[in-house]
């Protein structure tokens, strides 16, 4: 399998079996219920594209992502990722990370 589309399935975790998909280049996990980046994906060395749009992700293991040699694009739009992710991603990660614009902080 080169592409796996699991969009809109209410998933909140990934089975470890994903790591056995040796030719997986793209995975679509948008519109699910992930609260954190699915760590098994970091072991899939062939992945080029990860789509996690519209989840509930707040934490991203930036160091693990930085070691994913094939990764070209990570879509984290519509996720409540914290500002620390935005700060870490730029210097550490050599690929495109798509994030929603930061919501302005309401003035008191």
């Amino acid at each position: 399998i080169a592409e796996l589309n699991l969009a809109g399935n209410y998933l909140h975790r990934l089975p470890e079996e994903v790591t056995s998909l040796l030719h997986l280049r793209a995975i679509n996990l948008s519109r699910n219920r992930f609260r954190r980046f699915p760590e098994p994906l970091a072991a899939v060395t062939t992945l080029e594209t990860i789509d996690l749009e519209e989840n509930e992700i707040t934490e991203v293991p930036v160091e693990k992502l930085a070691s994913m040699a094939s990764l070209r694009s990570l879509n984290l739009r519509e996720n409540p990722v914290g500002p620390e992710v935005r700060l870490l991603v730029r210097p550490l990660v050599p690929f495109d990370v798509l994030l929603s614009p930061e919501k302005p902080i309401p003035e008191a």
Side-chain angles (χ1 to χ4, degrees):
I1 305 175
E3 295 187 19
L4 185 57
N5 184 346
L6 296 170
N9 278 299
Y10 298 100
L11 298 174
H12 54 89
R13 60 178 210 81
L14 264 190
E16 290 293 325
E17 287 78 11
V18 167
T19 59
S20 66
L21 299 173
L22 301 178
H23 304 288
L24 189 63
R25 288 205 314 270
I27 190 163
N28 183 344
L29 295 167
S30 61
R31 300 187 323 279
N32 278 292
R33 295 282 170 87
F34 289 99
R35 288 214 162 90
R36 51 191 337 173
F37 182 86
E39 303 256 343
L41 291 182
V44 184
T45 54
T46 51
L47 265 176
E48 295 171 8
T49 307
I50 300 173
D51 186 346
L52 283 162
E53 187 165 347
E54 278 188 64
N55 275 278
E56 298 161 19
I57 295 171
T58 55
E59 292 172 52
V60 181
V62 176
E63 302 77 25
K64 284 190 176 169
L65 291 177
S67 68
M68 293 178 73
S70 300
L71 199 57
R72 300 279 169 267
S73 171
L74 171 61
N75 183 350
L76 287 170
R77 286 189 187 117
E78 303 299 325
N79 278 284
V81 291
E84 66 284 353
V85 171
R86 294 170 188 275
L87 294 174
L88 283 172
V89 159
R90 292 287 166 253
L92 285 178
V93 176
F95 51 81
D96 292 331
V97 176
L98 307 174
L99 295 165
S100 292
E102 281 190 86
K103 293 191 170 49
I105 297 163
E107 292 181 27

